[in-house]
Amino acid sequence: MNLSPKAMRFMVEALEFRIAAYQNQLDTETGEGISDDEISDLTNDLLFLESLLQELQKALDVPVAKVF
């Protein structure tokens, strides 16, 4: 799939927002009775989103040839 740089920047922003929300959820709910399974699920999702974010950021660093 070929995404425009604008689309990738939009996805990076969305991933950063979701990562922050997951991190906040882990920080606030860890002491509030969240189960170990839920912590594990959130942590796995968080790590997956962070890896997607890194890949998108790498793709944005690659120069794009202009088409005239």
Side-chain angles (χ1 to χ4, degrees):
M1 171 187 327
N2 287 331
L3 298 172
S4 70
K6 181 178 180 179
M8 287 192 285
R9 285 190 302 272
F10 181 82
M11 291 173 65
V12 164
E13 185 177 328
L15 286 170
E16 289 172 339
F17 179 81
R18 189 69 242 159
I19 287 168
Y22 278 171
Q23 190 62 56
N24 187 43
Q25 190 176 357
L26 282 170
D27 292 344
T28 58
E29 293 185 9
T30 301
E32 297 179 10
I34 189 171
S35 73
D36 288 341
D37 286 341
E38 291 172 313
I39 290 171
S40 178
D41 288 343
L42 284 172
T43 303
N44 288 339
D45 290 348
L46 182 63
L47 292 172
F48 179 68
L49 292 178
E50 286 174 342
S51 68
L52 288 174
L53 178 61
Q54 288 174 357
E55 291 301 315
L56 279 171
Q57 288 172 330
K58 276 194 252 179
L60 281 170
D61 289 340
V62 173
V64 178
K66 293 186 179 188
V67 177
F68 295 97

